[in-house]
Each structure stands twice: as structure tokens, then as C-alpha cells.
Amino acid sequence: MGHKVYGELMRYSQDLKSERKQHLQEGRKAQQYLDQCWKQMDNSKKKFERECKEAEKSQISYDRLDNDINATKSEVEKAKSQLYLRTHSADESKNEYAAQLQNFNGEQWKHFNVAIPQIFKNLQDMDERRTVKLGETYRSFADVERRVVPIISKCLEGMVTAAKAVDQRKDSAIVVESFKSGFEPPGDYPFEDYSQNLSRTGSDNTISTPKNEGGVKPDPKHSISKTAKNKLWLFGKKPKSALAPSLEDFSHLPPEQRRKRLQARIDELSKELQKEVDQRDALNKMKDVYEKNPQMGDPQSLQPKISETMCNMEKLRSEIHKNESWLSEVEGKVSTRGDRRPSADVNHHAPHGRESPEGSYTDVPNQEHRSPPHQPDPRQAHQPDEFDDEFDDDDPLPVIGHCKALYSFNGQNEGTLLMKENEVLYIIEEDKGDGWTRARKQSGEEGYVPTSYVEIAMEKNSKGAVTYI
């Protein structure tokens, strides 16, 4: 349809436009020539008219002087000579006017009886050819449609057949296989014994606190990952700060998706490696030919290309080995991977002012001595290794309170939120006992901050409203 019908019709239409323009230009030229002939005839006519009037004036002047008895002979001869010249000019103008008139009448007859009819005949022939061509185009169009209709009908039948053959179970199984995460469901929560630090003697019934060389005793609940309620992407919320860029080892993806991406990358690298191997073999064969036939080329000229190919092969082998090690790690840990909710290595149920026997904070090596007994030490909060980034950011969580930053926090880990000292944030999720509170900035950025770094004030009508100082 495009080449034989539409394309041919467009080309023929352009040819007709050019031909019609040519015929109209010929008509304009003929009309201009006829106008030029008429102007020449009209000029000669006006000249003849002027000469006749001048001759009549000379005749009147001569007759007046000839009848005047007082006129001298020289005056009469002069008037007679002037009359002769005017009469001769009038005769010449008359002959010229007659010739121009005869020429114009001839050209006018040719114009209206030969030139213009021929131009109209050419235009008529062109239009008749256009009509014939349109008829042929309509027939070609109908033939193409007639051949295409069965194909379209067959396609429609195939669409109906495919629609009837839809298997929703199979389709959903394909979707599950393509997007399954590979995470294991969370295990049972252990019993959290808050009385383990309490022991009574039989003599004085005093409470003793067991010493711990590390300073603050680790909270057993911190060995448990955060609740997996945000594990499901469809029902959780994903803070904007948790939208980390793709990592080289795809560790930001769920295990199953990470395995698929790593396998695809290994296959792609293997194909590139095979191309480099083939190129190396071809270069070595060419080098052997040059060594046997030096007149065909210099073997040493191929050595830089061979070295470059070998270097590329080593790089690709290294990349393949690195990705295979990641793939082995994923395949070995798919079944044992747990929740990734952050946990802090700080017992927030213990007083913030707890000190070691030496009188200094010993949670982190090389600490400074702090004087305020109830001032939370920002170094006590351990930065999380990894936040659960499986949220959905369709709708923001409601604000349940606000907080003020007591210390600056760099928020370098994935899922954490950068904050400056004295900065006011909105609270959108309370601390679940692991030392992290989910907050939102006024700009809309969300993430987790250490609870010990902020002063929190919950809304009165929110559930579990508590003010931390």
C-alpha cells in the first residue's frame, strides 16, 4: 500500500503539478506577447493621429498665407515646404500604423485560434491522464485491501483464540517466579527477660548489678531484627532516603532477584569473554601467517592488539569470578537470610549515665569523659549496617509527634536520615525497642535516626504517647 499505491500516487501528483505549472506559464507568455503587439499597434496609431493633426495645421497655415495679398513670396514658400514635410510624415505614420495593425490582428488570431486552444488541450489531456491514473490507483488499492483482509481476519481469529486460551494460574505463576524475593518468613520472637540483671542475696536482699567489661550490657532483644511488618512492599512505606542507588553486587535487591541479575551479568560477561577469545585466536593465526609469509605483513604489528585482547580477557575473567563469588554467596544464604531491620548495640533500657568502674563511658573505645549524668552520649548509638528498604512510597505515614535533634547525625548508612543539631523533625513511627525512630524532615525526606540523639514529644491523641527527655 505504501510503495505501490500511496508512494506512486504522490510521485505522480508531483509530476502533474510540474506539468500544469509549465502549461500555465506558456499561457502567460502568449498573453504577454499579444499585449506587447497591441501596445506597438496602439503607439503607431497615436503617432499617426498626431502627424495628421500637424499636417492639417500646416495646410490651414499655407492656405491662409496663400490667400493673403500682404504675405511675401518667401513666407508662402516656407509654409508650402512645411506642409509638404507634415504631409509626408503623416503618410509614413499611416503606413506604419497599417503594418502594426495588420501584425496585431494576425497575432491575435493566432493567440485565440492556435496558442490558447493548444494550451487548454494540453491541460485537458493532463487531467484525463490524471483521471486514468486515479482509476488505476483505486483498483490497486482495492486489490491490496482484498489481499490484506484475509490476513487481518486471520489475525483477529488468532487474537480471539489467544484470548480464550488465557490461563490466569499460569500467568500469575510466571509473575511470581519473575518477582519473588527469596526472603524467608521471620521466625518466632524469643522471650525477653528484663529481670536477668537482677539478683538477690539471701543476706541483705540488695540489688546487685553484674559488671561487664564492655561497659553497658547488650540488650538481648537487639540481636533480633526489627519487626517484619514492612517486609511487604505493597503494604509498607518506603522513605525517600532509603531509595539507594543500585549497587555493583545488587545487594540492594532481594535474594532471588539478586541471583537472577547476577546470573544475567555472568552470562553477558561470558559472551564478551568468548568474543575476546575468538579475536585472540584470529590474531594469533594472522600472526602465524605473517611469520610464514613476511611479504604479507609485519608479525610484530599485531602484538599490541594481542596484548590488549589478553588484558581484556583477564579483566573479564576477574569480573566473572567476582560475580560468581557473589552468586555463590546468594545461593548459600537465601535460606538463612533474616529480616534486615536495624538494631542498635545499646541497651536503651539502661540509664544513659551508666559508667564503667573507671568512671568513664566505655561503650566505644577512646571515649571522652562526659559530665552530664543524664545527657545521652551520641557515640553510644551504633550505626545500622542496613535498613529495610522494602517500602512503598505511595502515601506518606501520618505524623504522630515531633522531635528536636540533640546531636548531629551523619546518616551515611542506607535508610538513615541526616540531621543537624537543634533541627526539628516530624515523628512518623515510634521506637520499637531497637533504638531507632523513624522521622521525616520538613522537605519530605524520611529515614531512621537514633532515639538517643533526639528529644521526642508525641502528640496527645496518638497511641502510646510518650515524651523522651
Side-chain angles (χ1 to χ4, degrees), residues 239-241 396 417 426 428 439-447:
K240 297 181 179 179
S241 60
L417 184 63
Y426 298 114
I428 58 177
R440 179 190 301 147
K441 290 187 175 183
Q442 295 182 358
S443 61
E445 186 178 4
E446 299 179 1

Side-chain angles (χ1 to χ4, degrees), residues 284-318:
N284 288 330
K285 290 181 181 180
M286 187 179 297
K287 183 178 179 182
D288 294 339
V289 173
Y290 285 175
E291 290 176 349
K292 295 178 181 179
N293 301 289
Q295 67 276 9
M296 297 183 64
D298 183 11
Q300 297 301 323
S301 63
L302 299 175
Q303 190 59 39
K305 188 64 177 177
I306 294 176
S307 300
E308 180 182 356
T309 305
M310 297 294 293
C311 182
N312 293 337
M313 290 171 57
E314 291 299 326
K315 290 180 180 178
L316 290 173
R317 287 194 179 101
S318 176

Side-chain angles (χ1 to χ4, degrees), residues 210-255:
K211 294 184 178 180
N212 188 358
E213 295 180 358
V216 180
K217 183 178 180 62
D219 191 346
K221 76 168 96 177
H222 291 151
S223 62
I224 305 170
S225 300
K226 260 296 202 177
T227 177
K229 70 174 184 177
N230 290 326
K231 178 68 67 176
L232 300 178
W233 291 7
L234 293 177
F235 312 113
K237 300 297 175 185
K238 188 171 187 177
K240 297 181 179 179
S241 60
L243 297 174
S246 299
L247 302 178
E248 182 183 6
D249 59 351
F250 302 114
S251 58
H252 63 289
L253 297 176

Side-chain angles (χ1 to χ4, degrees), residues 314-332:
E314 291 299 326
K315 290 180 180 178
L316 290 173
R317 287 194 179 101
S318 176
E319 287 293 325
I320 291 175
H321 178 72
K322 180 170 60 174
N323 283 272
E324 285 179 345
S325 63
W326 289 335
L327 181 61
S328 300
E329 176 186 356
V330 173
E331 292 176 345

Side-chain angles (χ1 to χ4, degrees), residues 29-308:
K29 289 182 178 180
Q31 186 64 42
Q32 291 174 0
Y33 178 71
L34 182 63
D35 294 340
Q36 184 179 0
C37 292
W38 182 86
K39 288 182 180 180
Q40 293 177 355
M41 183 272 296
D42 187 60
N43 290 335
S44 63
K45 177 182 176 181
K46 292 179 179 178
K47 182 180 179 181
F48 173 59
E49 184 180 2
R50 289 194 304 269
E51 293 295 337
C52 289
K53 289 182 179 180
E54 292 294 333
E56 289 177 358
K57 290 180 181 180
S58 298
Q59 181 68 40
I60 294 172
S61 178
Y62 171 74
D63 292 340
R64 182 176 57 79
L65 291 174
D66 187 37
N67 295 326
D68 189 0
I69 59 176
N70 295 323
T72 62
K73 185 177 180 180
S74 61
E75 291 177 350
V76 174
E77 290 295 332
K78 184 178 179 180
K80 185 178 179 181
S81 176
Q82 187 69 23
L83 175 61
Y84 175 76
L85 291 176
R86 292 297 182 184
T87 304
H88 182 70
S89 297
D91 291 340
E92 289 181 353
S93 298
K94 180 180 180 180
N95 295 332
E96 182 182 358
Y97 169 62
Q100 290 294 336
L101 180 61
Q102 185 179 2
N103 179 64
F104 172 73
N105 290 332
E107 293 298 332
Q108 182 175 249
W109 186 90
K110 290 180 181 179
H111 178 80
F112 288 103
N113 293 276
V114 178
I116 295 300
Q118 183 63 37
I119 293 174
F120 279 111
K121 185 177 185 304
N122 293 337
L123 290 172
Q124 183 179 357
D125 294 341
M126 182 193 70
D127 191 71
E128 290 176 355
R129 294 197 309 272
R130 180 186 65 85
T131 304
V132 173
K133 186 65 177 179
L134 283 177
E136 294 176 355
T137 304
Y138 292 150
R139 288 196 296 270
S140 300
F141 176 81
D143 292 339
V144 172
E145 284 289 340
R146 189 179 296 111
R147 292 195 300 268
V148 170
V149 166
I151 301 176
I152 296 177
S153 300
K154 187 175 180 180
C155 291
L156 294 175
E157 292 176 0
M159 292 172 64
V160 174
T161 303
K164 293 180 179 179
V166 169
D167 187 354
Q168 66 275 17
R169 297 290 183 182
K170 183 178 179 181
D171 291 348
S172 60
I174 294 175
V175 173
V176 171
E177 181 64 26
S178 300
F179 296 98
K180 65 181 181 181
S181 66
F183 285 121
E184 292 292 334
D188 296 336
Y189 277 82
F191 176 76
E192 300 178 5
D193 188 2
Y194 293 97
S195 63
Q196 60 183 350
N197 293 333
L198 304 178
S199 60
R200 300 177 180 274
T201 60
S203 58
D204 54 3
N205 291 331
T206 59
I207 300 177
S208 63
T209 304
K211 294 184 178 180
N212 188 358
E213 295 180 358
V216 180
K217 183 178 180 62
D219 191 346
K221 76 168 96 177
H222 291 151
S223 62
I224 305 170
S225 300
K226 260 296 202 177
T227 177
K229 70 174 184 177
N230 290 326
K231 178 68 67 176
L232 300 178
W233 291 7
L234 293 177
F235 312 113
K237 300 297 175 185
K238 188 171 187 177
K240 297 181 179 179
S241 60
L243 297 174
S246 299
L247 302 178
E248 182 183 6
D249 59 351
F250 302 114
S251 58
H252 63 289
L253 297 176
E256 184 65 24
Q257 298 298 320
R258 182 186 180 193
R259 183 188 66 78
K260 292 181 179 180
R261 296 289 290 274
L262 288 173
Q263 186 63 52
R265 180 189 286 175
I266 292 173
D267 295 340
E268 182 179 355
L269 292 173
S270 299
K271 292 180 181 179
E272 295 180 4
L273 178 61
Q274 185 60 40
K275 290 181 181 179
E276 295 293 336
V277 171
D278 296 340
Q279 184 176 1
R280 181 203 60 184
D281 296 342
L283 291 172
N284 288 330
K285 290 181 181 180
M286 187 179 297
K287 183 178 179 182
D288 294 339
V289 173
Y290 285 175
E291 290 176 349
K292 295 178 181 179
N293 301 289
Q295 67 276 9
M296 297 183 64
D298 183 11
Q300 297 301 323
S301 63
L302 299 175
Q303 190 59 39
K305 188 64 177 177
I306 294 176
S307 300
E308 180 182 356

Side-chain angles (χ1 to χ4, degrees), residues 357-369:
E358 288 76 19
S360 62
Y361 293 92
T362 57
D363 289 318
V364 180
N366 301 325
Q367 298 186 72
E368 299 177 358
H369 291 274

